[in-house]
Each structure stands twice: as structure tokens, then as C-alpha cells.
């Protein structure tokens, strides 16, 4: 089994979290391909707005729909990249039976901006998709890729946040009399003094649209709360694991540490820490710091007595480059060790730096395969 | 096209992991060296500045993280209290509003509230005395930056008057004026360059904000004298596979190739027609001296 494969072994839901730019999406895709080739029925979802998964899987313009990835032998792999607007529209289309009602929602300005542009909506929609996939039970393994740090926490918090709000009196008051919307809200008593002032600050038009927006959710409330509970349970199920991916550079580690502590505070099972680009590859697999003990001048005298001057300069540059890489690897290993002390129960996997990101399913599979020989568990 | 210190307000954006925060920190250090009073503003749950400057924690209130350099991490709860205090002159009432659980829940769930509060916070920081100059905003991703730039448009017609309207109008004016710049940060690698080119095209088509500098970060230095490729094959043949020096030569060949790839990617960004600045990779720890050197390279006298 490959090192990436062992992350997925025995799991039903695997959530990849980590700071941006550490190769999280690539590793999620490689893990998915690896598990699919091992015979499992796998689905991978990315909610990162950048089209990286599409690039890596060679699927141009991968949209909201779950699609089979071609070229998988053994099991199956379906991939989806969440487009917030499409996902929301299809959710509304599914739950709002009445066409007039449906159109009213689509025309709502707050709904439009919420579903198209605003960050938090990624979290809500990811939750919906995860719920649908989980309930579908058509896959043995679901891999959820997440956007960088901040939004990854939103995914954990969003279900609770919205359903908590939906349960609150504030919403009940907000849409107390469905026909009167914001008017009813503004006339309501109690804590509504605060909301009234906010209305005065933000303007009646926004209040009206917000009232309309929350009415949408008011109608969806029961279903939404139930789905939120299912997703919360799935995220904390016995066969669910979180994989925290980082790279060993100090700024990545600072963001990753914030995430690590936030996950632990939310009682999320962080099973593995994966450090991408943690050390340099060597052609023979020989450790970089074992190469000292020869001298460029002496070696050259032995093998190439009449060498031109640039041969010595080149050999010296080669030595310097190797020493630089060895030093870099040592610093990174020390940083990883220090970081891992924060999660003593997690397994730690270090993966080598590769020159160029994988471009195809085969290259992704090769990345997973290479993790067997080259991945270093500590 | 402009120098990163040419405007009062500078936004930095780029794909995650391109070294954006480090660059913002370095530009701030250089601004302070030039006698200005820079402020770094981080958005979202980030912890970059405390790691870079080695301070225990950067909170909502601007903190001096290095001589002459301040940093602030926008906290939405504090921004909400600030917002209410600014618009509700009666203190006990303001406290009641900011402390209202219902209102807090409402804001947590409502779209766009966080973004509007962040704007309010930025305006507040820009109005501080003594003045912060420049104010350097570190966006956490390109998606986040675009969403932010689109705010005035998203709210168009939705908020016809009142304080939020004035805030959005001021922001839209600021973005399209001479006082604001957006800098793009990329690495000389395929995906970050591609994403930067796409972002640039979108900015040009959809936004009035001026593009300042396109930074190509962490350019590997030449690993060998220019004559090295000519003798590498011969050296490899003569030394043979068994000798440990073979690993050194492989490292060098790899570094030469990496440098060539990086130069080719940088050339794609130079073709954008913006002010493009290539910054060297920093080897070794990122200490004060390294940060100052990066700052001089990024924002020193042109």
C-alpha cells in the first residue's frame, strides 16, 4: 500500500485541510486516484475556487456535476468541483416546489450575491453536497478537499452557525408574519431594538432583501437543520479522518498551526499530518548529507587531470548546491518535528519536493506510488 | 504601473503560498526605513505576521511589530462593536446592541456582513492619527481579493442610502482613485503564473483599481557558472555512478533546469506589460536582515 493509500484505508470520509499553496488539492486527487485504482468506488469534491483539481485531473471546465474521471482501472473515481452558484440554484430548485416561490428566491438580490460571490456560501454549499453524497451511499470513500485555512473552519462551523440562527428567536421574529417580511421584523419587540437600529444604518432596501433571503431559509429550516445534523455527525464519525496538509516553510506552518489548534478545539479527529515538499529528492535516493568527504580538486586530478577551469568551478558549484539542499532539508525536518509535537496522536508523513506539479491521472497515480518508497513516516 | 510605496493604500494578492505575507512584511520594513509609518492589515484567521516578526500575537488594535512597523489582524467582533459605537452615539445603547446575542447570531449567518465590517475597519485605520502610511493589506487568496473588490457592485441598488452606502461609495472611490494600488504576487512556476495572468485579465476587464507591481517571488539564483552545462556531461561520465559526487552533480543539473524553467515563467509575467519585479529566493532563516534585504529589493528606490 502506498503512503497516501494508507491515509484512506478503512475510511469512508477523508477531509483534507491546510493552508493555501501547499499542494493539498493535488494530494487529495492523488489519494483519490490511488484508492480508486486499488478497487474502491471513490468520489472527490473540491470547493477551492481555483481550478486546480480540474487542471490536475486533466478535466477542462469541470463543473458542479459529479463526473467519472476517465482512465481509472480497478475501481471508479467521480470528481466534482463546486461552483457555488450552480450548486445553490440546484438546491433551491430541488426544495422549492412552487415555481413562483422559486423565481422569487432567484430574483432576491441578497440570494444572488450570497450564492455567487461571498466566501461563506462555499461552506454552506459544500455541506449540502457532502450531505447528498454521504446519503447517496454510492461511494466507499469520499474525499473532501477544502479551501485555505479560514474557509476550512467555515465548513465545520457553517452548519451549526446557520441552523443555530434558524433556531433562534431572531429569525422567528424576522419572518414572524411571512406576508410582511422586513416590516414585521422592524415592528417586532424585545431584542429587535438592536435590529431596528441596524436597519436604520443599512437601509430599508437591504433589510427587505435580507428578510426575503432569510425567508428562503425559514422555509427550508426543518430540512436544513436535519441535514446540518447529518453532516456534523459525518464529520465526526468513527470512519472519518482529517488530514492536515502543510509545507514546512515558516509562514505555512504558522497558518497550519492555527488550523491544527482550531481543529483540536473542535474535537475533530486529526489522523495524519502530511508535509509536502519536505525534502529534496536525490537520483539514487541517497541522503543528501552523506556526500561529504571528497574534495573537488582531488577528485578532478584523479578522473580528469587536464580538465578545463570550468570543470572545477562546476564541481564546486555542485558541492555548494548539495550542501544548500542538505541544510534546507535539515531546517525543514526540525520545523516538522516541532510542529508535530502539537498533535502527538497523529501520524506524520513527509513527502519529497517534486520539480513540477502532476499534469495527468497517470502522474497523480505516480505521485501516490512514489509515496510508498519516498514518503517518510515519523 | 507603480512602485509599491507610491500609494497610501496597497492591496497584495496572489495564490496561497507564494510568499505574499513575507513580501508585505518586507515592504513595510522598507517603508519604515524610509521614514514612513506603515501598517500591515491581515484579513481572516491568519497568523503570518506574528510568525514573521516573532511577536506573541497580533490582534485587532495595531501593534508595533518592528521599529516603525505596525500590524493589525481584523477581528469581526471588535469591528462590529466599533461600527455600532461609530453610528450609535448613546454608549449604553451601543453596548447593548454590540452585545446582543441575537444580533451576533444574525451577523454570523448573514452574508456580506463580515466584508462590510472589514471595510469599515479599513476606513477607520486609514483615518487614524497619527496617520498610517502606507496601509498594506494582505489578502489571503485571489478569490478573496476579487470578492472584496466586487463589494460595491454587489450592493449596488441594494443599499440606496445611509452609512453603509456612504462606506461603499467611499470605498469604490478609493479603489478607482490614485490612492489605491493592487499588487500581484506570483512564483515563477506554471500554476501561479497562469492564475496571475487570468487574474490580471479579469482585473483589467472588470475593475478600475490600478495594478501596481507584479512581483515574481523566490527566483532561484544561478546555481552554476554559465559554462557549467558544457562540462556537466563529461564530468558525469568520468566520475561514474558509484562516486558520491554523482549526487552533487545531479543536484546541480536539477538546479540549472529549475532556474531555466523559472526564467521562462517569469517572462510570461513580464509580457503582461505591467511593472514587473523579480525577487531573489531567500536561502536560510528569514531573519531581520533577510527581511530588510527583501524589502529593499521589493520597495527600495527604483
Amino acid at each position: 500500500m502506498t503512503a497516501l493509500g494508507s491515509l484512506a484505508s478503512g475510511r469512508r470520509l477523508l477531509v483534507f485541510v491546510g493552508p493555501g499553496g501547499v499542494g493539498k488539492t493535488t494530494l487529495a486527487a492523488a489519494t483519490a486516484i490511488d484508492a480508486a485504482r486499488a478497487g474502491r468506488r471513490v468520489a472527490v469534491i473540491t470547493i477551492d475556487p481555483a481550478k486546480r483539481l480540474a487542471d490536475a485531473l486533466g478535466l477542462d471546465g469541470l463543473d458542479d456535476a459529479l463526473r467519472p474521471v476517465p482512465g481509472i482501472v480497478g475501481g471508479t473515481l467521480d470528481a466534482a468541483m463546486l461552483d457555488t452558484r450552480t450548486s445553490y440554484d440546484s438546491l433551491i430548485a430541488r426544495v422549492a416546489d412552487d415555481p413562483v416561490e422559486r423565481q422569487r428566491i432567484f430574483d432576491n438580490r441578497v440570494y444572488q450575491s450570497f450564492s455567487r460571490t461571498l466566501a461563506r456560501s462555499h461552506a454552506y454549499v459544500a455541506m449540502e453536497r457532502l450531505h447528498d453524497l454521504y446519503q447517496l451511499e454510492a461511494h466507499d470513500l469520499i474525499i473532501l478537499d477544502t479551501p485555505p485555512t479560514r474557509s476550512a473552519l467555515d465548513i465545520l462551523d457553517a452548519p451549526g452557525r446557520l441552523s443555530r440562527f434558524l433556531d433562534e428567536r431572531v429569525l422567528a421574529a424576522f419572518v414572524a408574519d411571512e406576508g410582511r417580511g422586513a416590516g414585521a421584523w422592524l415592528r417586532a419587540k424585545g431584542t429587535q431594538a438592536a435590529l431596528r437600529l441596524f436597519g436604520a444604518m443599512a437601509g430599508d432596501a437591504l433589510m427587505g432583501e435580507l428578510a426575503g433571503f432569510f425567508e428562503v431559509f425559514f422555509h427550508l429550516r426543518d430540512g436544513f437543520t436535519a441535514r446540518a445534523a447529518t453532516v456534523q455527525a459525518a464529520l465526526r464519525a468513527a470512519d472519518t479522518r482529517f488530514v492536515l496538509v502543510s509545507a514546512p516553510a515558516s509562514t505555512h506552518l504558522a497558518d497550519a498551526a492555527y488550523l491544527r489548534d482550531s481543529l483540536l478545539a473542535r474535537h475533530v479527529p486529526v489522523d495524519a499530518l502530511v508535509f509536502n515538499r519536505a525534502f529534496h529528492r536525490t537520483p539514487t535516493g541517497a541522503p543528501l548529507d552523506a556526500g561529504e568527504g571528497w574534495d573537488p580538486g582531488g577528485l578532478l586530478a584523479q578522473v580528469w587531470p587536464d580538465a578545463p577551469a570550468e570543470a572545477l568551478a562546476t564541481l564546486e558549484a555542485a558541492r555548494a548546491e548539495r550542501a544548500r539542499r542538505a541544510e534546507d532539508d535539515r531546517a525543514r525536518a526540525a520545523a516538522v518535528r516541532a510542529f508535530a509535537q502539537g498533535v502527538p496522536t497523529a501520524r506524520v508523513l513527509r513527502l519529497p519536493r517534486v520539480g513540477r506539479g502532476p499534469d495527468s491521472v497517470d502522474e497523480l497515480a505516480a505521485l501516490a506510488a512514489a509515496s510508498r518508497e519516498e514518503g517518510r513516516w515519523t | 504601473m507603480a512602485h509599491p510605496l507610491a500609494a497610501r493604500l496597497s492591496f497584495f494578492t496572489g495564490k496561497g503560498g507564494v510568499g505574499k505575507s513575507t513580501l508585505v512584511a518586507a515592504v513595510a520594513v522598507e517603508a519604515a526605513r524610509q521614514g514612513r509609518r506603515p501598517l500591515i492589515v491581515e484579513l481572516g484567521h491568519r497568523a503570518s505576521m506574528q510568525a514573521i516578526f516573532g511577536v506573541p500575537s497580533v490582534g485587532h488594535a495595531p501593534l508595533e511589530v518592528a521599529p516603525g512597523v505596525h500590524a493589525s489582524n481584523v477581528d469581526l467582533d471588535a469591528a462590529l462593536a466599533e461600527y455600532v459605537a461609530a453610528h450609535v452615539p448613546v454608549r449604553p445603547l451601543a453596548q447593548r446592541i454590540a452585545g446582543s446575542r441575537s444580533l451576533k447570531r444574525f451577523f454570523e449567518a448573514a452574508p456580506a456582513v463580515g466584508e462590510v465590517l472589514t471595510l469599515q475597519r479599513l476606513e477607520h485605520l486609514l483615518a487614524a492619527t497619527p496617520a498610517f502610511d502606507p496601509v498594506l493589506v494582505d489578502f489571503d487568496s485571489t478569490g478573496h481579493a476579487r470578492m472584496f473588490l466586487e463589494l460595491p457592485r454587489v450592493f449596488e441598488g441594494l443599499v440606496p442610502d445611509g452609512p453603509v452606502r456612504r462606506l461603499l461609495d467611499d470605498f469604490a472611490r478609493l479603489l478607482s482613485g490614485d490612492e489605491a494600488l493592487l499588487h500581484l504576487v506570483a512564483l515563477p512556476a506554471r500554476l501561479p503564473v497562469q492564475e496571475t495572468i487570468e487574474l490580471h485579465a479579469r482585473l483589467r476587464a472588470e475593475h478600475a483599481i490600478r495594478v501596481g507591481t507584479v512581483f515574481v517571488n523566490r527566483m532561484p539564483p544561478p546555481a552554476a557558472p554559465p559554462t557549467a552545462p558544457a562540462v556537466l556531461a563529461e564530468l558525469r561520465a568520468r566520475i561514474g555512478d558509484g562516486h558520491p559526487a554523482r549526487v552533487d552533480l545531479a543536484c546541480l543539473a536539477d538546479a540549472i533546469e529549475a532556474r531555466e524553467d523559472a526564467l521562462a515563467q517569469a517572462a510570461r509575467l513580464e509580457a503582461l506589460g505591467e511593472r514587473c519585479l523579480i525577487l531573489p529566493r531567500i536561502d536560510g532563516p528569514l531573519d531581520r536582515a533577510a527581511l530588510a534585504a527583501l524589502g529593499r529589493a521589493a520597495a527600495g528606490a527604483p
Side-chain angles (χ1 to χ4, degrees), chain A residues 109 120 168 258 322 359, chain B residues 45 105 108 156 190 248:
Chain A
R109 294 286 302 267
R120 214 169 266 165
E168 280 286 310
Y258 175 85
R322 176 179 182 149
D359 275 338
Chain B
H45 300 306
R105 293 273 161 90
E108 279 177 356
E156 215 173 81
R190 199 173 45 96
D248 301 54

Side-chain angles (χ1 to χ4, degrees), chain A residues 250-251 254, chain B residues 20-32 38-42 47-58 63-72 136 138 286-292 295:
Chain A
S250 61
T251 51
Chain B
K20 190 165 21 75
S21 300
T22 305
L23 178 63
V24 171
V27 168
V29 166
E30 172 62 15
L39 170 70
I40 299 163
V41 180
E42 280 188 285
S48 307
M49 291 309 152
Q50 56 204 58
I52 293 169
F53 289 105
V55 293
S57 100
V58 175
L63 174 78
E64 189 165 14
V65 291
V69 178
H70 286 76
S72 163
L136 308 166
D138 183 8
L286 183 73
D287 53 17
R288 291 287 160 108
L291 203 58

